[in-house]
């Protein structure tokens, strides 16, 4: 270790956030990224995302790792459309 450098003690439990995984579906990618950021900060991601969708208040989303700015790239109706599509594709024959 160089002069003036200090080791970070193992007692600091840090959470590593997965980078944005691109699937070709921007809404899905951003929702999963925001979900992981909220979870990493100890929030209930479902409750926080629903609060954001209903109110439009971006403070429901953590600014941790730019999750708030990521979700603001989407319109709320795009988020709802993605959620409905995902649900119905998994529950229809």
């Amino acid at each position: 270790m160089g002069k003036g450098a200090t080791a970070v003690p193992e007692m600091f439990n840090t959470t590593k956030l997965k980078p944005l995984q691109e699937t070709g579906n921007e809404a899905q990618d951003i929702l999963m990224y925001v979900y992981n950021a909220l979870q990493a900060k100890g929030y209930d991601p479902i409750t926080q995302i629903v609060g954001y969708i209903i109110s439009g208040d971006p403070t429901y989303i953590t600014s941790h790792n730019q999750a708030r700015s990521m979700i603001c790239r989407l319109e709320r109706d795009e988020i709802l459309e993605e959620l409905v599509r995902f649900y119905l594709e998994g529950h229809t024959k």
Side-chain angles (χ1 to χ4, degrees), residues 15-77:
T15 304
K16 292 184 179 180
L17 191 64
K18 297 176 187 174
L20 182 63
Q21 300 293 319
E22 294 187 25
T23 64
N25 180 332
E26 184 182 26
Q28 177 185 350
D29 298 340
I30 290 173
L31 278 170
M32 292 307 301
Y33 185 84
V34 169
Y35 179 91
N36 289 326
L38 288 164
Q39 201 168 43
K41 292 303 285 181
Y43 294 108
D44 176 359
I46 304 300
T47 302
Q48 297 303 113
I49 292 170
V50 168
Y52 170 69
I53 292 169
I54 290 172
S55 70
D57 183 356
T59 60
Y60 275 98
I61 307 301
T62 182
S63 59
H64 178 65
N65 284 352
Q66 289 95 25
R68 187 177 298 155
S69 65
M70 294 287 289
I71 204 161
C72 287
R73 292 181 187 179
L74 301 171
E75 296 293 328
R76 290 182 296 153
D77 63 323

Side-chain angles (χ1 to χ4, degrees), residues 1-9:
M1 214 174 303
K3 185 177 179 180
T6 58
V8 177

